[in-house]
Amino acid sequence: MENLISIFLNSVFVGNILLAYFLGMCSFIAVSKNIDTAMGLGFAVVFVLTITTPLNWMIYYFFLAPGALSWVGLPDLDLSFLKFIMFIAVIAAIVQAIEMVIDRFSAGLYSALGVFLPLISVNCAILGASLFMVEREYTFIESVVYGFGSGVGWMLAIVAMAALRIKLRYADIPKGLEDYGIAMIVTGLMAMAFMLFSGISF
Amino acid sequence: MKLTSTKFFRTFSQPLWGNNPVSIQSLGICSALAVTVQLKTAVVMGISMTVVVAFSSLLISLIRNRIPRNIRIIAELIIIATLVILTDEFLRAFYYDISKQLSVFVGLIITNCIVLGRTEAFALSNPPHLAFIDGIGNGAGYSAALIMVAFIRELLGSGKFFGLKILPGIFYTAGYEDMGFMLLAPSAFIIIGLMVWLQKTWVKNDTK
């Protein structure tokens, strides 16, 4: 249990997938101009990450990992090189499926998340979390917690950024640094602040 | 006609400076920054990226009239993912140490906005030779930005250039210290931000 809490807190704060590993920057810069949309995209990312990370865990350990196919009598087979293509296919399929399910059952949720879902299949954070999950050899439960934690961390970062950018509208920024340039510098400062969490031990 | 004004040349040179994918279009920063602590990894990452963009643009441009419109994203992703797998296997076979350092970031080329962006925006509507050149240009522009950041970070962060100590020892005896901050994640954001500033000011003056 303690282990799970530490994975969760680590993925939200210290090892924040956006601020420490730079994943999901493209949509982070593009969508952080408004708090509401940032919130919507953040929720969509949490949702998709919590589903795809454990799903990819199952696919990896039941089909792709070295020796994983011993249950069909092929103990020497190592298909781990296929993980990139499998993961991205799973993510694209799941995003599409989630979109259809939400559309069918919850009109309110669909109007809130619908537009963001297609954006998500090419969000680096989603694929990145799956690849980190393999690299760090998490167990199934850990991968659920890690997926959820990364999503929450990403959402926290983008919502904070959107709030900062609204304040920045009234700031007098040098020409050329406006918009994208200042967004990067603010992100840098925010990443610095998040690094302070690494002093906390659980 | 001057060489610099042919379409061929412009396709190549535009993404290098005036329309650089990282600093002007703000694409592909995702994987760019994590590999820039050292020059070596940045160079390898840049080359891998260039290979993937160039060949995926070429291949997609070759079959662009055969891809049905509504499944084009899947078709593009499959071609890109295949190329990334080949690159990853190659690195693992010949440059194992570097591939360990790059860890998941080679795989993340798949979701790099530059690759999908170029195939969507350029390769689908242009002939193969232009698409290939466009891919190389964008890859080179990406590499240039990466190498610039990595150069600054490695020099200030550990006083090295490609892993060789180039700052003379006298600096250190005189009280100079390496800037540990440059090795941490936030510095990359700030360096990119400053680079964008510099370049935007510069490019604007060019066009006037």
Side-chain angles (χ1 to χ4, degrees), chain A residues 4-16 145 149 197 202:
Chain A
L4 294 182
I5 295 173
S6 107
I7 286 182
F8 178 76
L9 290 173
N10 192 44
S11 57
V12 175
F13 295 113
V14 186
N16 188 302
V145 174
F197 287 115
F202 298 99

Side-chain angles (χ1 to χ4, degrees), chain B:
Chain B
M1 196 151 70
K2 263 166 60 191
L3 173 73
T4 47
S5 58
T6 59
K7 191 170 184 209
F8 197 73
F9 185 81
R10 261 188 298 132
T11 314
F12 175 71
S13 67
Q14 256 199 347
L16 266 185
W17 178 250
N19 202 12
N20 188 295
V22 176
S23 52
I24 303 289
Q25 300 176 53
S26 74
L27 292 179
I29 345 162
C30 320
S31 52
L33 301 176
V35 298
T36 50
V37 176
Q38 289 177 339
L39 262 174
K40 204 166 59 178
T41 47
V43 170
V44 172
M45 185 69 188
I47 294 171
S48 324
M49 182 72 188
T50 312
V51 170
V52 173
V53 192
F55 283 96
S56 61
S57 286
L58 176 69
L59 289 173
I60 286 160
S61 173
L62 278 174
I63 57 167
R64 69 184 188 283
N65 296 325
R66 289 164 199 276
I67 306 179
R69 262 209 95 63
N70 42 359
I71 60 155
R72 64 179 195 288
I73 303 259
I74 300 277
E76 286 161 15
L77 276 179
I78 288 175
I79 290 178
I80 296 167
T82 314
L83 284 164
V84 169
I85 291 176
L86 289 177
T87 318
D88 187 51
E89 293 291 307
F90 178 85
L91 287 180
R92 237 183 256 217
F94 295 101
Y95 302 97
Y96 187 72
D97 296 339
I98 296 183
S99 115
K100 264 267 156 302
Q101 280 175 356
L102 286 174
S103 79
V104 304
F105 291 99
V106 175
L108 286 173
I109 294 179
I110 299 175
T111 48
N112 194 310
C113 327
I114 298 176
V115 190
L116 206 61
R118 286 333 286 173
T119 51
E120 272 281 289
F122 198 87
L124 274 180
S125 50
N126 282 286
H129 64 282
L130 276 183
F132 187 64
I133 290 299
D134 176 73
I136 292 190
N138 274 287
Y142 172 86
S143 315
L146 231 65
I147 288 169
M148 210 124 82
V149 178
F151 174 72
I152 298 173
R153 284 180 79 181
E154 194 177 0
L155 185 70
L156 296 182
S158 46
K160 289 175 181 168
F161 177 71
F162 273 109
L164 289 172
K165 203 85 190 164
I166 53 160
L167 285 185
I170 190 151
F171 271 50
Y172 292 95
T173 40
Y176 174 81
E177 268 182 45
D178 286 329
M179 210 161 136
F181 173 65
M182 280 293 159
L183 301 178
L184 303 175
S187 70
F189 288 113
I190 290 171
I191 292 175
I192 287 264
L194 294 176
M195 253 168 67
V196 171
W197 187 9
L198 192 73
Q199 196 172 354
K200 276 204 175 148
T201 322
W202 213 323
V203 169
K204 219 169 272 163
N205 290 344
D206 266 0
T207 49
K208 261 176 202 163

